[in-house]
Amino acid sequence: MSTKKWFVLGISGATCSGKTSLANRLHKELENSVVIHQDNYFLPIDDPRHIKIEELNHFNWELITSVDWDKLHSDVLKLIESTPNGNTCSDTIDKNILILDGFLLFKCKVISDLCNRKYFLTLTKEQCWERRKGRVYNPPDVPGYFEKVVWPEYLKHIDELMKDKNLCKTIKFVDGSKSKEEIFQTIFAEIKKLLS
């Protein structure tokens, strides 16, 4: 007897590229799915591990060190090693699906390695700013944070991904400026095919 298998789907990309909307929509449409958001694992604001940008008097929330990856990894392992829905039939074709959403997912090797399928949503700087400027964060962005921190960190991050040829081959890059519906339909069709 073995537990039902988990199919792990990683959705990453630029800030405001539609990752969370896509993850939530897939979760709604895919039976036996669970979604975990990286944003729920940011270190508390009073955590001494945060890196402060003195010039802006604001923490850098774009760094891999701003997230409690140990906790996230532990929660993911607990979930995929569990027996979902009490189902222990090994002959079932229904897979359980874990949807991971976060802008730094593939930077964390242990998380990235768990993903059976990886998507990365891209945006141009202009598109990204257009969406980001209307968002309210907790803590709120300070003036200059996007220009001085968010975008440069994103460029650094995507550059690192591109340089890691083996990792890059496993990621499907998606134009995040397309309509949410088009992106969803394309990815949903691919996932259904992979699971059939």
Side-chain angles (χ1 to χ4, degrees):
M1 290 281 226
S2 64
T3 60
K4 284 166 79 177
K5 286 191 170 177
W6 284 88
F7 180 89
V8 183
L9 174 60
I11 299 170
S12 192
T15 177
C16 302
S17 58
K19 300 178 298 295
T20 304
S21 299
L22 175 61
N24 289 339
R25 178 84 191 274
L26 287 166
H27 173 46
K28 190 177 159 201
E29 301 293 340
L30 291 165
E31 284 182 43
N32 304 330
S33 69
V34 178
V35 66
I36 293 180
H37 303 288
Q38 173 205 298
D39 284 3
N40 294 334
Y41 291 84
F42 276 117
L43 298 174
I45 200 152
D46 56 356
D47 194 293
R49 288 171 289 180
H50 277 299
I51 308 282
K52 194 169 189 182
I53 307 141
E54 294 302 336
E55 179 193 352
L56 299 175
N57 193 27
H58 194 71
F59 290 138
N60 186 341
W61 296 91
E62 315 311 306
L63 301 172
I64 193 163
T65 51
S66 65
V67 175
D68 187 345
W69 292 102
D70 291 340
K71 173 86 172 94
L72 175 52
H73 187 230
S74 158
D75 285 356
V76 167
L77 290 183
K78 248 181 264 173
L79 181 70
I80 61 179
E81 286 163 6
S82 68
T83 308
N85 312 327
N87 189 336
T88 54
C89 294
S90 55
D91 59 354
T92 178
I93 55 163
D94 286 337
K95 282 192 179 78
N96 288 280
I97 302 151
L98 171 58
I99 303 162
L100 298 173
D101 143 49
F103 70 101
L104 293 170
L105 280 187
F106 308 145
K107 202 164 179 162
C108 177
K109 188 167 171 17
V110 288
I111 295 293
S112 181
D113 287 351
L114 289 172
C115 297
N116 302 102
R117 192 77 172 129
K118 303 181 185 99
Y119 292 97
F120 191 98
L121 280 63
T122 62
L123 285 177
T124 65
K125 185 179 183 183
E126 293 68 35
Q127 291 162 342
C128 197
W129 171 242
E130 200 48 46
R131 295 182 186 186
R132 176 118 181 171
K133 67 183 181 187
R135 288 264 186 101
V136 179
Y137 291 91
N138 182 22
D141 282 355
V142 293
Y145 184 69
F146 178 82
E147 282 288 334
K148 291 189 167 73
V149 185
V150 176
W151 193 252
E153 291 289 358
Y154 169 69
L155 291 180
K156 205 185 294 177
H157 176 42
I158 202 161
D159 184 54
E160 284 170 13
L161 288 183
M162 296 300 193
K163 281 180 179 157
D164 186 338
K165 298 293 180 218
N166 291 331
L167 174 60
C168 208
K169 276 189 285 200
T170 68
I171 299 172
K172 178 162 185 179
F173 291 88
V174 178
D175 179 358
S177 69
K178 288 181 178 170
S179 78
K180 282 182 183 177
E181 187 59 26
E182 189 183 342
I183 292 170
F184 165 73
Q185 290 298 347
T186 304
I187 292 176
F188 184 61
E190 283 181 14
I191 300 304
K192 292 293 269 187
K193 207 173 186 178
L194 287 167
L195 292 172
S196 62

